[in-house]
Amino acid sequence: MVYRGKPSRACLECRVKRRKCDLSRPTCRQCVRAGSRCDGYRDQHSLEFQDQTAETLDRSGFLFDNYLPVRSICSNQAVSVSPKLPQKKATAYQSTEPPHDPWMMITLSPEQQGLHFFFHHYLVNGAGPSSSHPDCFSTIYARATGHGYLANLAIAVGSASLAYLRNTSTLIQAASQSYSRAIRDIRIGLADPAEAASDQMLVSVMLLALYETVTLDFDNDLNPWDRHVDGALALIQLRGVSQLRNRIGRSIFLNLRTELLINCLQRQARVPLILVNWLNEARHYETAQEAPAARLANIIVKACSILALAKEDITNEAKLPQLISELLSVDHDFVYWSENLPSEYRYETVTSPDESILAYTGRYDIYPSADIAHTWNLLRCARIILHQIIVEAISILLKAPSVSPSDSLHIPHRAMLRTSDAEIYENASHICYSVPYILQSCGKPVKAGSLRAVHALPLLWPLYIAGTAYTASDALREWVTTRMEMIKEVTGMQRARLVVSHSNAPT
C-alpha cells in the first residue's frame, strides 16, 4: 500500500473534461450547463491509499512484454494467475528464446487487455527510432483521466488489434462497446467549445482513423482519413493560432499535416484551402529542423493541384503536352528539395549479405530520426505517383492519331518514359531500404516482442505504393508482401492485409 496524497474533489465528468468543478451537490452545475451527465463524486478516503503490487512487479521485471501488465486505471482491481498459453510456432521474424517467466501470466478483463496492447504497440514510450517531436498519443493520453472518450478509444484500438490476433469474440465486443462509448462522449464534448478545441479532442480524431485502419471498417478503401478530414480541419480552425505556439500543439498539427497531405495524394485531390492557409501560418512558428519538411509540404500542395488537374484532363490529347510539362516542373521542385537539404537530413547506406534480416537486396539505410525517414518516404511516394501519371499521359499521347513515329516529339517522349520508369523503380527501392531502420531491425532479425504497430503504421502506405508500382519486380512485390504479412501477424492491423491483397493483384 502507498499513500497517494489528497485526491481531486471534482466530479468524474469534470475530471475527464479537465475543467474546474464547482463541487455542487447532488449535481455539478458545470455538468448541467454543458448538458453532460454528472456521475457524482468519489469517496475522498478510498483513494488515499492504493495497492500498487502489480505496478511494483512491472517495474521489477516480473511482468514482461508478452504478458499483460496492470496499468494505472485498473490498479485497484483484482487480478488472478493462470498458466501461460502455449507459444506460437516460431517464424523467421519471431524470437525463439524462452520467456523469462514461463509459469505465470496476469489475467485481465478484455478492456484491460486491449488497453495494455494499445500502450505496448501504439505509444512510442522511448522505444525505437528517435523522433524530433514528442509522441502525441503518449503525452495527451497522460493528461486524460478516468474513462473518457480518449481512454475508450485507446481500449477500442487495442482490443480490436488483439481480437484479430487471437480471433476472440469477447475482445471484438469490448472494442465495439468502447468505440460506441467514445463516439457518444465525443459528441457531448464537441458541444463544449473549450473541450472541442482541446488537444485530446484532436488526438481523438486521429484515433478514430486509427481504429478504422485496424478494423478495415471503411468499405475496403485505403483512405480511412476520408470521413474524418472535414472534422479534423474544423477542429484545427477552432483551435486557432495558439496550437502552433507550444511544442505539443505543434506536434499534433504536424502529424495531422502529414496525414492529410497523404490523403490528398492518395485521392489525387487538391489540398483544402483551410489546410493550405494553416500551412502558411505554421511557417511563422517552425524551427530550423522543421523547415525542410514544411517546404516539402508546400511542394506537395502544388503537386496535388496538378494531379487533380490530371484526373480531369488525362484523356484530353490537346492538353496533355502542357500537363506533362507541369508534372515535370513539380518533379523538378522535388529533386531540388532533395539536393538542397541540410546535412541533418542525410542518411547512411549499409549493405549486408545476411539474408536473415529484413534488408531488401541486402541493403538498408540508417536515418538521423524516424521523422526524417518518414519525410523521405513521403517524397518518394509523391514522386512515384507523379511519374506514373507522366507515364500514363505520355503513353496516351504517343498513341494519339496525330502523333506518328517520325514526329519530332516522339523520341523525347520515349526518353521521358525511360526516365520515369527509372525514377519509379529507384524511389520504390529506397522505400524498401528504409524499412529495417523504421522497424528497428538494422543489422539483425526482428524479434516478436520488438516490433511495434506505432513504427509499422507509417510504412503501410509507402510499402503499398512501392509494391503496386507498375515497374515493381516480382522480387520486390514478394518482399513487400512478406513485410506486410509480418506486420499483420504481429500487430493485428487489418489494413496490412488489404495492402497485401492489392500488392498481389495482377497488373
Side-chain angles (χ1 to χ4, degrees):
M1 292 289 181
V2 294
Y3 177 65
R4 300 301 296 268
K6 187 177 180 180
S8 171
R9 298 170 60 198
C11 70
L12 174 61
E13 187 71 10
C14 286
R15 294 201 311 275
V16 171
K17 298 296 178 61
R18 303 188 65 80
R19 64 192 178 201
K20 186 175 181 180
C21 181
D22 65 6
L23 305 179
S24 299
R25 295 180 183 273
T27 302
C28 166
R29 295 193 192 97
Q30 290 279 49
C31 294
V32 173
R33 282 195 292 268
S36 305
R37 184 185 68 184
C38 183
D39 291 325
Y41 303 87
R42 60 186 176 184
D43 183 354
Q44 294 298 297
H45 299 290
S46 65
L47 295 181
E48 290 182 2
F49 290 90
Q50 189 169 26
D51 185 357
Q52 286 196 314
T53 304
E55 292 181 30
T56 303
L57 289 174
D58 198 2
R59 290 193 297 268
S60 302
F62 279 84
L63 304 178
F64 297 92
D65 283 342
N66 52 340
Y67 300 143
L68 299 170
V70 181
R71 295 289 175 176
S72 57
I73 73 163
C74 55
S75 57
N76 280 327
Q77 302 181 21
V79 297
S80 59
V81 178
S82 63
K84 194 176 189 310
L85 297 175
Q87 293 290 305
K88 291 182 179 180
K89 183 179 179 181
T91 66
Y93 52 86
Q94 290 177 319
S95 172
T96 56
E97 297 177 1
H100 296 285
D101 198 354
W103 53 269
M104 67 169 290
M105 67 177 291
I106 299 297
T107 301
L108 303 175
S109 71
E111 291 79 7
Q112 294 160 359
Q113 294 178 43
L115 188 62
H116 165 72
F117 194 91
F118 178 85
F119 270 100
H120 178 75
H121 269 283
Y122 291 99
L123 303 188
V124 175
N125 291 329
S130 60
S131 174
S132 55
H133 295 288
D135 175 21
C136 294
F137 291 150
S138 297
T139 306
I140 304 306
Y141 192 86
R143 297 177 180 177
T145 59
H147 296 275
Y149 55 81
L150 202 56
N152 277 316
L153 282 174
I155 293 171
V157 170
S159 298
S161 301
L162 198 55
Y164 287 113
L165 292 178
R166 294 183 177 177
N167 193 25
T168 306
S169 59
T170 55
L171 287 168
I172 294 175
Q173 184 179 13
S176 178
Q177 291 175 345
S178 296
Y179 184 79
S180 297
R181 288 194 297 268
I183 293 295
R184 178 202 64 195
D185 292 341
I186 286 173
R187 288 172 179 167
I188 295 172
L190 288 173
D192 182 346
E195 181 68 15
S198 66
D199 289 346
Q200 64 188 47
M201 181 61 76
L202 194 53
V203 169
S204 73
V205 175
M206 301 166 72
L207 284 178
L208 288 173
L210 178 57
Y211 179 82
E212 293 173 357
T213 296
V214 169
T215 62
L216 282 187
D217 186 23
F218 45 94
D219 301 325
N220 284 334
D221 192 345
L222 279 175
N223 304 310
W225 266 105
D226 284 358
R227 63 204 301 181
H228 300 300
V229 166
D230 291 341
L233 291 174
L235 291 179
I236 288 174
Q237 190 81 345
L238 179 65
R239 285 160 61 83
V241 73
S242 62
Q243 66 188 306
L244 304 173
R245 293 173 177 162
N246 66 82
R247 194 163 180 251
I248 298 298
R250 191 166 65 249
S251 175
I252 299 171
F253 175 79
L254 295 179
N255 274 275
L256 276 169
R257 176 188 71 183
T258 299
E259 295 294 336
L260 294 173
L261 290 177
I262 287 174
N263 178 267
C264 293
L265 281 171
Q266 287 176 322
R267 296 183 294 115
Q268 296 180 30
R270 292 175 178 86
V271 176
L273 182 59
I274 291 177
L275 181 59
V276 174
N277 292 337
W278 278 106
L279 292 180
N280 294 331
E281 184 68 30
R283 298 299 303 270
H284 299 300
Y285 302 93
E286 70 187 22
T287 65
Q289 190 175 18
E290 295 166 353
R295 291 196 295 270
L296 177 62
N298 288 339
I299 301 173
I300 290 176
V301 169
K302 181 179 178 182
C304 287
S305 296
I306 304 301
L307 291 171
L309 189 64
K311 288 180 67 175
E312 302 167 2
D313 296 339
I314 196 68
T315 57
N316 189 331
E317 296 174 8
K319 294 184 177 181
L320 286 181
Q322 178 63 27
L323 176 62
I324 293 170
S325 176
E326 292 179 0
L327 289 168
L328 289 172
S329 176
V330 174
D331 189 59
H332 175 76
D333 292 341
F334 282 135
V335 173
Y336 182 84
W337 179 88
S338 65
E339 292 176 346
N340 291 273
L341 287 169
S343 58
E344 293 81 5
Y345 268 69
R346 300 300 173 185
Y347 53 87
E348 175 188 355
T349 295
V350 179
T351 56
S352 171
D354 188 353
E355 296 183 358
S356 67
I357 64 175
L358 296 184
Y360 173 63
T361 66
R363 168 180 167 174
Y364 58 91
D365 297 332
I366 299 177
Y367 294 80
S369 74
D371 293 333
I372 290 176
H374 298 321
T375 300
W376 273 103
N377 280 342
L378 179 59
L379 167 75
R380 291 158 185 158
C381 289
R383 294 197 67 203
I384 289 173
I385 293 172
L386 208 67
H387 277 284
Q388 291 193 142
I389 298 298
I390 291 173
V391 168
E392 182 181 359
I394 292 176
S395 298
I396 293 173
L397 191 62
L398 291 177
K399 293 177 183 178
S402 59
V403 178
S404 65
S406 59
D407 196 301
S408 60
L409 293 177
H410 199 275
I411 295 177
H413 283 159
R414 289 290 183 188
M416 289 181 195
L417 283 176
R418 291 192 295 270
T419 298
S420 289
D421 285 353
E423 292 292 352
I424 295 169
Y425 178 83
E426 181 179 359
N427 281 281
S429 298
H430 276 82
I431 288 172
C432 296
Y433 300 149
S434 73
V435 171
Y437 171 79
I438 295 173
L439 295 185
Q440 316 174 61
S441 62
C442 297
K444 58 184 182 298
V446 173
K447 295 183 178 180
S450 65
L451 179 60
R452 298 289 193 272
V454 70
H455 302 142
L457 186 63
L459 277 174
L460 295 184
W461 185 60
L463 283 175
Y464 168 78
I465 293 295
T468 57
Y470 88 96
T471 60
S473 63
D474 290 341
L476 187 145
R477 292 181 193 277
E478 181 180 357
W479 189 88
V480 168
T481 299
T482 303
R483 301 289 81 75
M484 288 297 186
E485 290 283 2
M486 177 193 71
I487 291 171
K488 177 176 68 72
E489 291 179 17
V490 174
T491 68
M493 288 190 294
Q494 296 303 290
R495 187 178 179 184
R497 173 176 59 81
L498 185 60
V499 171
V500 167
S501 64
H502 279 260
S503 298
N504 288 334
T507 57

